[in-house]
Amino acid sequence: MEKQTIYLAGDSTMADYQPHSYPMQGWGNKLHLFIPDSVRIVNKAVCGRSSKSFIEEGRLEEILQMIKPGDYLFIQFGHNDSKEDAERHTSPWSTYHRYLRQYIDGARVKGAHPVLISPLCRRHFDVDGLLINTHGDFPRSMEALAVQEKVHFIDLCGRSAVAFKEMGDAKSREWLTWLRPDEHPNYPEGIEDNTHLNEQGAEAVARMVADAILKLNLNFG
């Protein structure tokens, strides 16, 4: 019997990475640690994609060709939907909904279960040490659509924001790709990245998602 499958559709914060990018990791790479062995995870997230560009590149259609009744489609976009280029840009209360509905409807037509996941919070603190919302209306808009369409929703933006606030500016760097020059051969000049997780952060965020899955009582196995 073919395994039940979770398909991941999203951006760089969810995606798998090649070894030359290590220790940068997407949380989708670590989700298997918290999911029953009876469930397969297929990570189709791609760096730099928005809800729009993922579809227009044929990536959603690729998933829909494989997905089967009882599978899940986890959908996380928002980081790149706010970009200004025409290939990726969506508006939170109009075109963002229009594209997200294509994921929802596509999964449902195949008898699969869509799950909307708000974008991972960026680690962006102001001079007073307060966390800044860099995603605008996208997280709230996604939650509103989830209610409207009666879709399971995981507020990863909210959950990760709480974690970053609790850790504070300095401690929260431990979850992101922050490296001093020559600390790692993949980043000889160092890196200070407030968006992309490292291995520790990817595992922590995957645990957040798994905890939310448990609370939603999703039917696995």
Side-chain angles (χ1 to χ4, degrees):
M1 183 177 178
E2 193 173 354
K3 282 187 174 183
Q4 185 181 30
T5 303
I6 300 171
Y7 289 91
L8 305 182
D11 54 39
S12 58
T13 61
M14 180 192 258
D16 292 333
Y17 282 82
Q18 296 299 317
H20 63 76
S21 296
Y22 186 85
M24 192 176 288
Q25 298 269 340
W27 64 261
N29 183 261
K30 298 295 184 181
L31 187 59
H32 69 95
L33 298 173
F34 309 101
I35 297 296
D37 291 340
S38 59
V39 178
R40 183 174 66 126
I41 297 172
V42 176
N43 192 351
K44 290 293 185 178
V46 181
C47 298
R49 275 34 177 206
S50 70
S51 63
K52 176 183 180 181
S53 63
F54 194 92
I55 288 174
E56 296 194 345
E57 292 174 2
R59 299 180 187 278
L60 173 59
E61 183 58 31
E62 180 185 348
I63 292 172
L64 296 180
Q65 291 295 324
M66 299 183 290
I67 204 166
K68 63 186 185 300
D71 286 345
Y72 282 84
L73 177 58
F74 285 12
I75 307 145
Q76 182 207 266
F77 291 102
H79 272 269
N80 299 303
D81 286 73
S82 62
K83 305 294 186 184
E84 291 302 320
D85 56 284
E87 291 77 18
R88 295 184 290 179
H89 179 78
T90 67
S91 297
W93 297 102
S94 57
T95 47
Y96 186 51
H97 281 195
R98 187 186 312 158
Y99 284 104
L100 289 178
R101 281 194 179 95
Q102 294 185 48
Y103 297 83
I104 294 167
D105 294 344
R108 284 175 165 168
V109 164
K110 292 300 185 85
H113 311 290
V115 178
L116 292 175
I117 303 175
S118 60
L120 178 71
C121 179
R122 287 190 180 95
R123 185 203 152 276
H124 194 125
F125 289 86
D126 66 15
V127 292
D128 297 317
L130 299 176
L131 191 67
I132 298 171
N133 170 26
T134 66
H135 289 312
D137 279 351
F138 284 99
R140 289 194 303 115
S141 171
M142 178 181 274
E143 184 173 13
L145 180 64
V147 171
Q148 184 179 341
E149 296 293 329
K150 297 180 173 58
V151 175
H152 287 303
F153 173 69
I154 295 174
D155 185 13
L156 185 57
C157 185
R159 285 171 173 262
S160 53
V162 168
F164 287 152
K165 288 175 184 176
E166 288 178 348
M167 287 189 286
D169 188 357
K171 183 74 173 174
S172 59
R173 294 175 191 173
E174 295 178 7
W175 284 15
L176 280 298
T177 310
W178 271 64
L179 296 166
R180 297 183 301 276
D182 296 321
E183 186 176 352
H184 194 282
N186 284 340
Y187 301 92
E189 297 180 2
I191 184 172
E192 295 182 359
D193 189 322
N194 290 312
T195 297
H196 298 100
L197 301 162
N198 60 21
E199 192 164 25
Q200 178 183 343
E203 185 169 332
V205 172
R207 187 180 289 109
M208 284 183 194
V209 173
D211 179 66
I213 289 170
L214 195 63
K215 287 180 170 59
L216 289 173
N217 197 29
L218 301 187
N219 184 24
F220 291 139

